[in-house]
Each structure stands twice: as C-alpha cells, then as structure tokens.
Amino acid sequence: MNEINAIVSDIKKGTLKPIYFLMGDEPYYIDKISNYIEENVLDETEKGFNQQVMYGRDVTIEDIVGAAKRYPMMAEKQVLIVKEAQDLSRSIEKLVSYAENPQPTTVLVINYKYKKLDKRKKLHKAVAKTGLVYDSKKLYDNQVSDWIRRVLSGKKYQIDPKAALMLVEFLGTDLSKIANELDKLMLVLPKETIITDAHIEENIGISKDFNNFELKKAIGEKNVLKANRIINYFVENPKKNPTVMTISLLNGFFTKLLLFHGLKDKSKNSVAKALGVSTYFVDEYFLAARNFPMRKVAQVIAALRDADVKSKGVGANQTQEDILKELLFKILH
C-alpha cells in the first residue's frame, strides 16, 4: 500500500512517467492506479481530444505504438490506457522499441492483469528504465484482515477481528469485492464506528451466528450441538455456504492446529506469528489442541481430504448434506 501511495503522490505532484506497466495477480491495485490516472491527469476539457482507452483484444502492439506517438492537441500531455493488455501477451515484447524511447508527451498505461513480464527480457528492463513497472501481488489469506483494518483506519473506521475474518471467509481474497462491501458499510455507518459482526450481518447479509468462523469455534470447543446447528443452517442455505469452501476453511484450521502441536514456543505472540493469525484467536487454538491431540488432528485432515474429493463428485454418490454431516461426525467422534 505504501508503494501505491507513493505512485499516486507523484502523479498528484505532476511527476508523471511516460509508461506505467501495471501487472500481476491482484487486479485491485492495477485498477486503482489506472483509474486514478484516467480521472486526474487531464482536466475535462482536455480529455475529449487527448485521452483514449483501448482494449487488448481489439488492438495490436502497432496500434498502441501508433497512438502513443501522436502529439497532444492543445494540452501538454495525452493519456493512452490499454485495458486487458494480457490479451496481447504473445506479442507484448514488440513494445520494446517504443519503451526504449517513449514519447515524452504521452502517458501510456498498460493494464496487464494476472500475468507478469519476464524480468530477464528486454521489455521489462526498458520500461523499468524509462517508466514504471508495478507488480501487484495477491495477498495471502492471513494478510487480508490486516489490509481491511488499514483501509478502514485510513477512512476513520475500525473493525473488530471477528468481523474482519467474517468478511475474508465470505468474500475470499478478492480485494475489489471486499472494497465494495466496505464502501457499503461506510455509507451507512458514521465515522469512528467500530464495525462488529452485527454490522456485517445487518448490512452485508453474513450471519454472525451461522458461519464458518463460528463452526470452527464450535468444533474446537467440541460443542456438538452448536456445530450441528451450524451445519444444518449451511445445508438449508447452500448458496451462501458452499460445501467446498467449508471444507477448505476447516482444512486450514486443522492444518494450523497440527502446526500448533509442533511448536516449542507456545507463547501467545509466538503462536500468532507461527500460525499467521491475530492474537485475538490464539486462545481458540489452545482449547482446540486440548480437545484434538495430534493423532486425532491427522485423522481429521485425512477425513477432510476424503470429503473434499466426494464434494467434487469423485468416488461417491452422496449429497452435499450427507457429506457435511458425515464429515462433522468423523471430526467430533
């Protein structure tokens, strides 16, 4: 995020690069930079003649170079944005000659999502020398909650750990989806609000009582009644609670629990760091470890892998309901 802020800060100051090559697996920041340039570099009177958006599937590298070499009309700069440029991956190296000697009055923005330039090849070296290469990396699951907190903090909001985890479990690591939901929350909640699981349930529709977070907690406590109630809710609401996601999240929980058993240093901060979780959740692993010794954890992981295969229709003719209930029985008994 610091790198993004530095890029935007330079653009605000008018320190513009002739080429912005935005690449990588996380589209959120690629769109963030590209949209900022599109909306702010030229004023409204200049955009009509001097701002153009192209799409990789519709153009060639020669088309892009030809447009980039034009001079602006009644303005100091022209802005050329190429979206979905990954569709040009087979011919992208043809951009080398332009990148080595770019038009100084053009700001060329290449949105190259889900792919990366080879650092060993000429194009990467040329753009890095004359312009800017930004690699937008996907966040790991255990980094997204911190990202949510930083985004909200910058807007004068806070969020409690459970609410953040609910968002991650429901929306995954897609930052664009998460940002959209945060925007909805900030529209209805006043600044300085500490966002809780109740706010998430009321405004986004994720149940604060029947979700994967609560299921993991109930299983860790060996609370058979609560775990079965949650599974029954999942069965009745399969679109909101896909079996594959539940199995994946439980597998992550028990994999961390296996790692917990192997830790020599079980101080709270050390456990949090080793497992990649907030210290807020560490006590749950201590309790779960007492209820699930290492041998049982290994058995549960095997049962989860078996359920994962079955949930994808391999080697068994069971309903998703039967798979979940059988899995829960194996875990808790």
Side-chain angles (χ1 to χ4, degrees), residues 211-234:
N211 55 65
N212 283 304
F213 171 81
E214 291 296 334
L215 177 61
K216 286 190 297 186
K217 188 176 179 181
I219 288 173
E221 295 169 350
K222 279 210 167 178
N223 187 330
V224 177
L225 180 60
K226 183 178 178 182
N228 275 287
R229 282 177 176 168
I230 295 171
I231 287 294
N232 288 333
Y233 178 86
F234 285 4

Side-chain angles (χ1 to χ4, degrees), residues 86-259:
Q86 65 271 15
D87 290 338
L88 293 165
S89 59
R90 293 184 179 180
S91 57
I92 197 70
E93 285 293 321
K94 290 183 180 179
L95 198 58
V96 170
S97 58
Y98 178 81
E100 289 175 337
N101 187 28
Q103 181 75 8
T105 54
T106 295
V107 178
L108 173 61
V109 184
I110 305 289
N111 294 349
Y112 200 69
K113 296 178 179 178
Y114 313 110
K115 290 182 178 290
K116 296 183 182 183
L117 291 179
D118 188 333
K119 291 183 179 181
R120 298 168 297 180
K121 292 189 175 181
K122 288 184 178 180
L123 181 57
H124 188 285
K125 293 175 180 176
V127 177
K129 185 176 181 180
T130 61
L132 180 143
V133 179
Y134 174 70
D135 184 0
S136 186
K137 296 176 181 177
K138 200 83 173 172
L139 295 183
Y140 295 111
D141 289 3
N142 61 356
Q143 296 175 310
V144 180
S145 290
D146 286 337
W147 180 86
I148 291 171
R149 282 191 284 274
R150 289 198 303 271
V151 168
L152 289 172
S153 177
K155 303 286 181 68
K156 308 296 183 186
Y157 290 84
Q158 296 180 56
I159 187 167
D160 70 33
K162 181 182 175 182
L165 188 63
M166 284 171 64
L167 284 173
V168 176
E169 290 189 344
F170 187 70
L171 300 169
T173 59
D174 187 325
L175 300 188
S176 297
K177 282 184 180 179
I178 295 172
N180 285 338
E181 297 302 332
L182 294 180
D183 287 341
K184 292 177 188 177
L185 285 169
M186 289 185 283
L187 279 173
V188 297
L189 299 174
K191 289 185 186 297
E192 310 298 339
T193 297
I194 299 174
I195 297 169
T196 66
D197 55 354
H199 292 124
I200 300 296
E201 180 175 52
E202 183 179 346
N203 296 287
I204 298 179
I206 309 170
S207 171
K208 67 182 177 65
D209 297 314
F210 299 98
N211 55 65
N212 283 304
F213 171 81
E214 291 296 334
L215 177 61
K216 286 190 297 186
K217 188 176 179 181
I219 288 173
E221 295 169 350
K222 279 210 167 178
N223 187 330
V224 177
L225 180 60
K226 183 178 178 182
N228 275 287
R229 282 177 176 168
I230 295 171
I231 287 294
N232 288 333
Y233 178 86
F234 285 4
V235 168
E236 292 170 6
N237 299 272
K239 289 185 178 179
K240 287 186 177 180
N241 305 278
T243 300
V244 172
M245 181 179 290
T246 297
I247 293 171
S248 174
L249 291 166
L250 288 176
N251 185 68
F253 175 68
F254 278 98
T255 300
K256 287 177 180 176
L257 191 54
L258 190 65
L259 178 60

Side-chain angles (χ1 to χ4, degrees), residues 21 26 42 44 50 86 102-103 112 117 149 178 192 227 235 260 282 286-287 294 308 316 328:
F21 202 103
E26 179 48 69
L42 301 180
E44 293 303 320
N50 297 294
Q86 65 271 15
Q103 181 75 8
Y112 200 69
L117 291 179
R149 282 191 284 274
I178 295 172
E192 310 298 339
V235 168
F260 175 90
V282 167
F286 279 97
L287 177 58
M294 186 177 285
D308 182 54
L328 187 60

Side-chain angles (χ1 to χ4, degrees), residues 25-41:
D25 297 322
E26 179 48 69
Y28 177 78
Y29 284 121
I30 292 174
D31 289 337
K32 200 84 171 170
I33 298 170
S34 181
N35 291 343
Y36 187 84
I37 291 171
E38 185 174 354
E39 293 166 8
N40 294 282
V41 168

